[in-house]
Amino acid sequence: MPELPEVETVRRDLDAVLTGRTITEVILGRMRTIRRHDDPEQFTTGLRGAHIVATRRRGKYLMIDFQQGENAGVLVVHLRMSGQLLHALTPDDPLLAHTHVRLQLADGTEVRFVDPRTFGEMFLTSPACSELDHVGPDALDPLVTAKVFVDGARGRSVSLKGFLLDQGVVAGVGSIYADEICFRAGLRPSRSVSRISGPQFKRVHTMMVEVLEAAIEARGSTLGDGQYVDMVGRAGTFALEHRVHARAGLGCVACGSIIRRGIVAQRSAYWCPTCQR
DNA sequence: CAAATATCCTGATAGC
DNA sequence: TGCTATCAGGATATTT
């Protein structure tokens, strides 16, 4: 499941492929991918001739800024669980199953959106991107400090994992990194944020930044299912550094206790019963 | 208002 | 072997 580090890895690849290029044609497969648009034509005509000027990311959302004549616009992409953006060097590269959108470029290459589970989406909007108003600041935004966590947790009783997954507080952390952050902070994912102190939130914040940056360095986490890969199909290596996620029944790398699995915030959660309280 | 629940969908896996 | 039932999960709408 692509989370902040995986989306950032894709953004960097995408930037090299798209920025400074022009979209010449858009081929739509499944309409569900562009479900925010009533009219598919609005999407295709809105992108045809678009000149890409920049790529950005906020949490797990990719934003592709473009200029189309006098008009500025943004193509927003969310990969959700199984979405992939792939770069095809020629239009007749074999099409993978579940290829829902093809963006053909003036240089003859193609950016393809592939998404078996179809939860991912793409939509066009104006530069203000008001559709993302409810999304909090990016987890790696320098403006995000431990205070954002302390303030965001005030008056709430949700679990730490549920809190980290709440994209309205800080955006970008998903199930994998929430587990890894909880481990490194020494706190169980089920611990209520109402029982977490200021210094503990400071540690949560420090560990969040550390884990996310290390994961970007490793080009993300590719799990056993091989689901996540970058734009040319390469896996990320951060799963090798996972301490708890998907390690139920194995020994804790720090103390040897058996890693446990349970449900927290309606998601699978993994933790060390000794290292985390 | 916050938190829990149902929903979307398909591939992988478990169980027979 | 091959079938069916179950599960996973991000964000959102709905319910509690």
Side-chain angles (χ1 to χ4, degrees):
Chain A
M1 299 80 237
E3 303 180 25
L4 187 153
E6 292 76 27
V7 179
E8 176 61 15
T9 301
V10 170
R11 188 199 65 75
R12 291 176 183 185
D13 286 356
L14 195 61
D15 194 74
V17 165
L18 275 184
T19 298
R21 309 305 207 291
T22 299
I23 295 173
T24 51
E25 192 54 77
V26 180
I27 301 170
L28 281 176
R30 267 235 206 186
M31 297 305 146
R32 179 170 152 77
T33 301
I34 56 159
R35 53 193 174 275
R36 295 200 198 208
H37 290 269
D38 295 324
D39 178 12
E41 280 293 306
Q42 189 200 358
F43 184 82
T44 51
T45 60
L47 276 179
R48 207 172 286 130
H51 184 71
I52 312 302
V53 291
T55 61
R56 293 179 286 150
R57 181 189 55 73
R58 170 126 141 255
K60 303 169 198 169
Y61 287 91
L62 281 166
M63 292 121 97
I64 298 155
D65 295 302
F66 64 85
Q67 196 71 31
Q68 189 194 42
E70 295 303 299
N71 303 316
V74 183
L75 168 63
V76 179
V77 183
H78 198 303
L79 304 173
R80 287 296 218 288
M81 258 88 83
S82 60
Q84 293 179 302
L85 284 170
L86 299 174
H87 191 214
L89 296 182
T90 72
D92 38 59
D93 249 28
L95 278 184
L96 287 179
H98 311 291
T99 300
H100 305 320
V101 180
R102 301 167 65 188
L103 305 176
Q104 301 192 318
L105 308 181
D107 66 9
T109 71
E110 219 176 274
V111 170
R112 296 174 176 174
F113 183 75
V114 180
D115 184 18
R117 289 185 206 177
T118 75
F119 284 10
E121 64 166 334
M122 297 178 117
F123 63 89
L124 294 184
T125 187
S126 57
C129 259
S130 59
E131 290 85 352
L132 304 188
D133 282 353
H134 66 289
V135 179
D138 187 77
L140 290 181
D141 186 322
L143 293 175
V144 172
T145 62
K147 186 176 187 298
V148 174
F149 282 155
V150 172
D151 291 347
R154 192 157 290 133
R156 298 185 62 178
S157 59
V158 68
S159 62
L160 176 56
K161 175 154 183 167
F163 182 69
L164 290 170
L165 293 178
D166 183 346
Q167 305 295 299
V169 180
V170 158
V173 175
S175 191
I176 296 171
Y177 295 102
D179 285 347
E180 294 300 314
I181 292 163
C182 290
F183 175 83
R184 287 165 174 79
L187 297 167
R188 293 197 185 177
S190 58
R191 168 83 80 99
S192 167
V193 294
S194 65
R195 297 192 301 108
I196 294 180
S197 68
Q200 286 175 322
F201 269 124
K202 175 79 187 154
R203 183 155 178 81
V204 170
H205 175 258
T206 301
M207 290 303 119
M208 175 182 78
V209 173
E210 195 176 299
V211 168
L212 294 177
E213 286 183 343
I216 291 171
E217 187 71 23
R219 297 184 63 83
S221 298
T222 298
L223 301 181
D225 59 9
Q227 182 60 246
Y228 164 74
V229 289
D230 69 14
M231 283 197 82
V232 292
R234 291 172 301 188
T237 60
F238 194 71
L240 298 172
E241 296 172 55
H242 289 180
R243 309 264 209 271
V244 286
H245 186 79
R247 298 193 71 248
L250 300 174
C252 172
V253 291
C255 76
S257 299
I258 301 301
I259 300 300
R260 298 187 53 176
R261 174 184 186 273
I263 301 294
V264 176
Q266 294 83 238
R267 292 274 123 69
S268 286
Y270 301 86
W271 69 93
C272 170
T274 304
C275 297
Q276 295 170 260
R277 300 292 174 174

